[in-house]
Amino acid sequence: MDWKDLAPWIAIAITLSLSILVPLFTQIANNAHQMKMQKEKLDYERAQEKEKVYKAFLLNVGGAIAHATGEALIEAGASVYQIYLYAPTEWWEDLDALATYIRKYEWTKAEEIMQKLGKLISEELNKNKEKEN
């Protein structure tokens, strides 16, 4: 058999291989892109939820320290414990102390910790905004 006789069969084999492989590689690339897009969406949603929790914490705990009503204390307590989901572990000791001071109505100490945490939250939110831009 001569090379010229095999050329059409080689062309057919290459064409068939490409007709199978090109859609396969396209699908793999598309799936990778979709996974990346889904991860970015989830990261964005988590960042939005984190910002919402941080802002609620500042509002509720700050409000309870400024004017401690029964309802304000309930919201403050909920906000303190909810922020654990998003706050770095380095903040936990301060959050523990803040919760204790609020329960004991020690407003001066609670305010000191709240000011510290407020600054940390501000840094965290500003850092996240810089990442988005």
Side-chain angles (χ1 to χ4, degrees):
M1 228 182 198
D2 192 34
W3 177 253
K4 292 179 184 177
D5 295 333
L6 291 176
W9 291 106
I10 292 172
I12 290 171
I14 291 172
T15 303
L16 284 174
S17 298
L18 289 176
S19 70
I20 293 170
L21 294 176
V22 168
L24 177 66
F25 290 139
T26 301
Q27 187 63 39
I28 290 170
N30 186 41
N31 286 350
H33 178 70
Q34 291 297 322
M35 292 289 285
K36 179 183 174 190
M37 295 300 292
Q38 184 66 19
K39 183 184 180 316
E40 287 177 6
K41 178 183 174 190
L42 292 174
D43 289 346
Y44 176 78
E45 289 173 356
R46 179 167 170 79
Q48 293 299 310
E49 180 65 21
K50 181 179 183 178
E51 183 175 340
K52 181 180 166 186
V53 168
Y54 280 176
K55 287 179 178 180
F57 171 82
L58 293 172
L59 179 70
N60 295 334
V61 177
I65 290 171
H67 184 69
T69 64
E71 185 178 319
L73 290 174
I74 291 170
E75 290 176 359
S79 290
V80 167
Y81 292 109
Q82 188 177 32
I83 202 170
Y84 281 99
L85 297 172
Y86 300 99
T89 55
E90 297 84 39
W91 299 8
W92 289 5
E93 188 175 321
D94 287 330
L95 289 167
D96 292 343
L98 179 63
T100 301
Y101 294 143
I102 289 173
R103 275 194 313 274
K104 292 182 176 183
Y105 305 107
E106 294 182 22
W107 304 119
T108 304
K109 292 178 181 177
E111 186 174 14
E112 289 173 7
I113 292 180
M114 185 61 190
Q115 288 173 352
K116 178 182 175 184
L117 289 170
K119 291 172 187 172
L120 293 171
I121 288 170
S122 178
E123 287 175 4
E124 185 87 13
L125 292 177
N126 288 332
K127 187 174 25 173
N128 290 343
K129 292 291 182 193
E130 290 173 6
K131 285 181 185 178
E132 290 176 8
N133 295 331

